[in-house]
Amino acid sequence: MNKVLLIISREYLSRVKKKSFIVMTFLTPLLIAGIYGLIGYFTYKGIKDTHDKVAVVSTNTTLTEKLATDENIEYQYVNKPLDVMKKSLSKSDYDYILYLPEFTLAEPKGVQLFGEKQAGMSLNNRISGDLEELIRNQKLKQSGISQTDLDQLKTSVDIDTKKIAIETGKEEASSAGASTIIAFIAGILMFMFIMLYGIQVMRGVIEEKTSRIIEVMISSVKPFQLMMGKIIGIALVGLTQFILWIVLTLTISTIAATVLIDKADVKKIAASSQNGSTVGASQEQIQAAQGPIGDIQKSLAGLDFGKIVTVFIFFFIGGYLFYSALYAAIGSAVDSETETQQFMMPVMMPLLLGYALSLSVVTNDPYGNVAFWLSMIPFTSPIAMVVRLPYGVPGWELALSMAILVVGFIFTVWVASRIYRVGILMYGKKTTFKEMFKWFTYKN
Amino acid sequence: MLSVKNIVKQYATHRALDNVSLELEKGKIFGLLGPNGAGKTSLIRIITQITAPDSGEVLFNGERLNSNHISQIGYLPEERGLYKKMEIGEQVLYLSKLKGLSTAEATKRIKFWFEKLGMQDWWSKKVEDLSKGMQQKVQFVATVLHQPELIILDEPFSGFDPVNADIIKNEILELNKQGATFIFSTHRMESVEELCDHIALIHKSKKILDGSVDEIKATYRNNTYWIEYEGDYKVESTENVFEVLQTENVKGKTLIKVKLHENRTANEVLAMLLPKVNIHRLDEVIPTMNDIFIKTVKGEGHE
């Protein structure tokens, strides 16, 4: 056991002391924070900068009120026929023409938007939202609610939404967005960690093999001790890096959030958009304006961050052990890194598949069958489970998945150690899967 | 101190060791000879417990080989290797701690050896900055540092320049004097003649020759002599004393190689020649290990 500790400490220290480790550890959180800062900044700037001028051609008589202009969109009602407007659009300073035909409030049909540019989704949503609100307000008035009541209603709805978001977290729309972002980050991180550190194990094994120190080593220690020492040592490097990243990223993004985003601007947008549009639209805009940083902060308040980190670390260790054992076996079977490709494929595929499915299917339907099975099969569970986690996972599923993963890595470590002990002493032969199976069955 | 008994090691398609037995006496230098691929490395790997035999057993001081013996064996593999990015001192320290030395003891001994071999200022150098010969020296130190009872050296002199080879040879002899037993595995015979007390020859997975160097040489003597003389007389084969195998004239002298018939002695030959020529020199042709090696291996090959 003492020898394993020696190996662990060498593997750990030799990596942590490397310049590349230190640079990576301190640079990555800066990069991540920087990227999110940029995304947030541009989203916010994009909203602030859009200004569309829309000519409204209305033959409609049912609508009593007009669409209201604000900073981002300007509605101008014109008294010209649609044909004339369409022809002169390129010469006019309008960006779009909105055509409101005659319709009933019950069935508002036939609204059209013309433009030389294809109108984007956000503009489309914005206009339809504005129209919907207009119609809704008119309907409410028809049923006897006064303008004063309407304004009051608006205020109270806004307050209500905020409450729900804080209290029930995952069930409310804006918090689901936060969960998705946390899920994405966790999924990507998990994938990266397993890949990066698994490959480090493989490289380490190849290094020992090509530098021929392996024979000296295994005349002192058992191959299994050497393999486990390496795997555990590198796992500790990964954990060190992960914990440093969390600490640094949180620190930096908190600073970035307070410094980079001008709170006053955000409030101004929120306030102005409330005047003329629906409560929902203004919510969306605030959220978009705050960007992912706002989401992260919101999720920190709404989600059990401690639990997520704990489970993440468990699944990182489990998933890493599961895969790194396979990587160690691959490393032992080849003479150089260029030969690893044929073996990498079958190991990479389930991980990639788990990654792709987790970030698409699982985030869309975190309680579905696909999500359930992906988070049970140990090849994909490390990624799938951390992706599901922010949406809430029943305790028994979590426990079962963890148990399966533990059994899974014990199995892969066992298989890998049997291949490893033979592989590390084989030189110059091109290894095949058949051969690896033969090694596996060797007695000793 | 080491008994190898009836070892069989079978790999998928070929048998690496076929019923090989050896006896090593304490304090001797044992040469394990054989052409490439004969099974030397397989045998060493069994003794160093890197692999296990399919059948047969190895006894170390009368005890069946087990993990307690790891610290009593030092092994320098043919394929030398060190961690490229690690500092020399740290590396040797690591390897000797794996053999069970404490940090303090290991540090003390490393300093002693580094000083002895003129490597004092190598401690914080990296392996990749050293020449191949220097790396070999480091590796030799790592092999003997934990003062093993049995030291196994696979091709110990390959990669050394003559000066360093000599230094290492003297260290080996000194360690041997202090009681360490050595196994040399090599296919280069000249180093064997000087150092080994005992040899075993392995060929095609089998042991085909085993004995002390003197004994083996004695059995391979075949009563052949070089005789150098001056004089106009031409020595001819005689029917019942000797046969001339070869005649050469060198700078006015004649050199002949004669093979004596059974039960004849060099004295008889001299008695016959002395009246006729002026004898300068008479040498017995003693086969070198190299000759024996080639002869045995070729002989085996024809079977």
Side-chain angles (χ1 to χ4, degrees):
Chain A
M1 203 53 222
N2 194 21
K3 288 182 179 176
V4 180
L5 283 179
L6 269 170
I7 296 167
I8 292 173
S9 75
R10 191 202 85 86
E11 298 291 341
Y12 179 76
L13 290 174
S14 70
R15 282 180 174 76
V16 172
K17 277 196 247 161
K18 264 193 205 159
K19 265 188 217 119
S20 59
F21 175 84
I22 298 166
V23 171
M24 271 289 281
T25 305
F26 287 91
L27 218 57
T28 311
L30 273 176
L31 277 174
I32 291 176
I35 288 167
Y36 280 123
L38 277 180
I39 292 173
Y41 175 73
F42 280 117
T43 324
Y44 158 67
K45 195 169 181 282
I47 285 175
K48 202 171 136 192
D49 285 356
T50 26
H51 184 87
D52 291 312
K53 209 171 173 192
V54 180
V56 184
V57 177
S58 179
T59 58
N60 187 291
T61 52
T62 36
L63 287 172
T64 51
E65 299 218 3
K66 286 185 175 178
L67 288 161
T69 298
D70 69 25
E71 290 188 338
N72 297 128
I73 193 159
E74 186 181 342
Y75 296 112
Q76 265 188 24
Y77 282 75
V78 287
N79 271 328
K80 286 179 191 163
L82 185 60
D83 289 349
V84 178
M85 282 306 292
K86 273 204 261 187
K87 269 175 203 151
S88 61
L89 180 63
S90 54
K91 281 169 260 163
S92 69
D93 58 346
Y94 294 113
D95 299 305
Y96 300 96
I97 303 164
L98 180 69
Y99 173 61
L100 301 176
E102 181 71 315
F103 53 64
T104 59
L105 286 185
E107 235 180 327
K109 270 185 187 167
V111 179
Q112 284 176 303
L113 186 67
F114 303 95
E116 297 207 293
K117 304 177 283 183
Q118 170 74 44
M121 271 303 281
S122 62
L123 181 71
N124 229 321
N125 288 341
R126 173 72 207 268
I127 294 175
S128 69
D130 283 358
L131 273 170
E132 279 162 19
E133 202 209 0
L134 210 62
I135 295 167
R136 191 190 311 136
N137 285 355
Q138 200 167 328
K139 280 181 183 167
L140 287 169
K141 276 187 201 158
Q142 276 175 2
S143 52
I145 294 166
S146 69
Q147 183 64 44
T148 350
D149 286 340
L150 214 54
D151 290 346
Q152 273 173 357
L153 192 65
K154 207 184 283 168
T155 337
S156 72
V157 168
D158 198 22
I159 291 166
D160 231 357
T161 316
K162 276 183 187 163
K163 264 190 184 165
I164 292 167
I166 292 161
E167 276 172 9
T168 54
K170 58 208 166 202
E171 278 152 31
E172 204 271 330
S174 72
S175 179
S179 301
T180 307
I181 283 167
I182 288 290
F184 262 74
I185 293 174
I188 291 168
L189 266 183
M190 182 65 82
F191 177 71
M192 259 175 51
F193 266 113
I194 292 178
M195 276 273 295
L196 282 179
Y197 288 99
I199 284 174
Q200 282 217 30
V201 170
M202 188 182 79
R203 287 221 181 104
V205 173
I206 295 174
E207 186 210 340
E208 276 172 353
K209 223 185 143 178
T210 50
S211 74
R212 310 270 174 164
I213 191 154
I214 192 78
E215 225 174 316
V216 176
M217 290 300 295
I218 55 171
S219 69
S220 304
V221 299
K222 292 200 176 69
F224 182 74
Q225 293 175 317
L226 184 59
M227 187 180 95
M228 281 321 284
K230 185 173 286 297
I231 288 177
I232 295 170
I234 294 175
L236 293 178
V237 178
L239 279 181
T240 309
Q241 191 157 54
F242 177 65
I243 289 163
L244 283 174
W245 278 359
I246 288 203
V247 172
L248 287 171
T249 307
L250 283 183
T251 324
I252 295 169
S253 45
T254 313
I255 295 168
T258 42
V259 174
L260 287 181
I261 300 274
D262 191 345
K263 286 269 157 81
D265 270 358
V266 175
K267 274 181 197 148
K268 214 163 80 192
I269 291 178
S272 64
S273 56
Q274 265 173 25
N275 296 333
S277 61
T278 65
V279 176
S282 79
Q283 265 293 325
E284 263 164 43
Q285 277 178 326
I286 295 169
Q287 202 180 311
Q290 284 177 325
I293 291 171
D295 274 326
I296 290 172
Q297 286 172 332
K298 206 179 283 178
S299 72
L300 286 182
L303 297 169
D304 188 348
F305 198 63
K307 185 182 168 193
I308 291 175
V309 170
T310 318
V311 172
F312 184 92
I313 288 177
F314 179 91
F315 276 92
F316 163 61
I317 295 172
Y320 161 83
L321 285 176
F322 184 88
Y323 275 102
S324 64
L326 297 177
Y327 279 115
I330 294 174
S332 74
V334 298
D335 283 352
S336 70
E337 221 169 304
T338 48
E339 285 172 42
T340 56
Q341 272 133 355
Q342 55 155 336
F343 299 113
M344 289 283 278
M345 266 293 279
V347 176
M348 289 281 291
M349 280 312 285
L351 195 62
L352 268 172
L353 194 74
Y355 174 69
L357 286 177
S358 294
L359 294 193
S360 52
V361 180
V362 176
T363 48
N364 273 334
D365 184 8
Y367 306 99
N369 267 332
V370 177
F372 175 78
W373 287 111
L374 281 179
S375 60
M376 287 300 143
I377 300 165
F379 279 100
T380 52
S381 70
I383 296 177
M385 195 46 106
V386 296
V387 168
R388 281 184 70 192
L389 199 67
Y391 302 97
V393 177
W396 70 270
E397 280 187 25
L398 197 60
L400 180 61
S401 166
M402 285 175 160
I404 294 175
L405 187 61
V406 170
V407 174
F409 78 66
I410 291 173
F411 179 73
T412 57
V413 166
W414 176 69
V415 169
S417 69
R418 292 188 67 88
I419 294 172
Y420 178 85
R421 84 211 145 114
V422 182
I424 43 173
L425 291 171
M426 292 286 174
Y427 287 103
K429 255 199 274 179
K430 212 150 197 260
T431 316
T432 58
F433 279 107
K434 207 176 133 199
E435 202 138 357
M436 277 168 98
F437 182 73
K438 241 190 256 161
W439 297 350
F440 173 73
T441 56
Y442 277 170
K443 267 180 292 165
N444 209 342
Chain B
M1 71 165 304
L2 188 79
S3 315
V4 174
K5 289 184 173 164
N6 307 96
I7 294 289
V8 175
K9 180 77 186 172
Q10 178 80 39
Y11 289 114
T13 48
H14 91 286
R15 182 161 279 211
L17 292 167
D18 192 359
N19 207 18
V20 172
S21 301
L22 295 173
E23 281 296 327
L24 253 79
E25 275 176 64
K26 191 168 171 52
K28 291 280 159 78
I29 299 180
F30 189 95
L32 189 60
L33 315 181
N36 293 325
K40 297 184 305 259
T41 305
S42 296
L43 181 59
I44 290 174
R45 281 181 178 175
I46 287 168
I47 297 171
T48 50
Q49 300 182 57
I50 290 172
T51 53
D54 294 334
S55 71
E57 60 175 354
V58 180
L59 302 179
F60 193 94
N61 287 335
E63 236 179 279
R64 203 177 170 135
L65 206 60
N66 61 54
S67 54
N68 293 333
H69 297 131
I70 284 176
S71 60
Q72 288 157 38
I73 296 177
Y75 173 39
L76 179 72
E78 181 178 3
E79 298 286 359
R80 311 293 151 73
L82 294 163
Y83 288 107
K84 287 202 176 63
K85 307 263 176 206
M86 228 174 152
E87 289 179 3
I88 303 296
E90 231 180 292
Q91 182 139 211
V92 180
L93 188 64
Y94 175 57
L95 291 175
S96 47
K97 275 163 84 179
L98 283 177
K99 288 282 191 186
L101 288 186
S102 70
T103 312
E105 183 62 27
T107 315
K108 208 175 88 191
R109 291 194 203 172
I110 294 170
K111 289 209 168 120
F112 168 78
W113 273 99
F114 275 20
E115 205 148 311
K116 196 169 184 190
L117 296 179
M119 302 153 57
Q120 296 93 321
D121 43 347
W122 291 14
W123 187 281
S124 51
K125 277 191 184 163
K126 284 196 174 145
V127 174
E128 50 189 359
D129 302 330
L130 297 184
S131 74
K132 216 178 161 205
M134 288 157 106
Q135 292 183 24
Q136 299 257 52
K137 254 177 159 176
V138 174
Q139 203 140 24
F140 178 79
V141 172
T143 309
V144 301
L145 199 80
H146 58 290
Q147 296 180 342
E149 278 185 57
L150 176 64
I151 300 170
I152 302 172
L153 306 174
D154 203 342
E155 298 293 353
F157 300 112
S158 71
F160 276 122
D161 59 66
V163 178
N164 277 317
D166 213 49
I167 292 173
I168 296 299
K169 200 164 79 188
N170 289 333
E171 292 303 331
I172 291 170
L173 288 173
E174 202 183 314
L175 285 167
N176 183 236
K177 233 180 259 166
Q178 289 163 14
T181 311
F182 280 87
I183 296 179
F184 275 7
S185 162
T186 184
H187 57 262
R188 295 193 1 206
M189 301 305 132
E190 57 280 9
S191 51
V192 172
E193 300 209 56
E194 273 178 87
L195 290 169
C196 292
D197 306 306
H198 200 105
I199 61 156
L201 183 57
I202 293 183
H203 182 55
K204 292 195 172 163
S205 321
K206 287 182 182 148
K207 185 179 81 176
I208 54 173
L209 189 68
D210 184 4
S212 82
V213 172
D214 296 339
E215 271 170 33
I216 289 175
K217 281 199 168 179
T219 43
Y220 277 80
R221 279 159 68 175
N222 53 2
N223 245 359
T224 312
Y225 294 86
W226 288 111
I227 301 170
E228 194 179 59
Y229 65 87
E230 226 172 329
D232 288 334
Y233 182 76
K234 186 172 180 352
V235 181
E236 301 277 355
S237 302
T238 64
E239 206 166 296
N240 47 21
V241 183
F242 64 88
E243 182 189 352
V244 179
L245 299 173
Q246 199 180 328
T247 311
E248 275 175 54
N249 288 310
V250 189
K251 292 177 188 164
K253 289 175 193 157
T254 312
L255 183 68
I256 58 169
K257 192 181 185 181
V258 297
K259 185 172 166 48
L260 275 58
H261 291 298
E262 234 164 282
N263 300 323
R264 297 293 176 180
T265 64
N267 279 3
E268 288 173 74
V269 181
L270 283 177
M272 288 173 69
L273 296 181
L274 276 173
K276 291 162 185 157
V277 296
N278 201 2
I279 303 273
H280 275 250
R281 180 161 73 89
L282 179 133
D283 283 331
E284 184 175 6
V285 179
I286 299 172
T288 60
M289 284 315 296
N290 212 23
D291 296 333
I292 296 172
F293 178 80
I294 291 168
K295 201 167 165 185
T296 320
V297 167
K298 277 194 176 158
E300 285 287 314
H302 289 307
E303 272 172 20

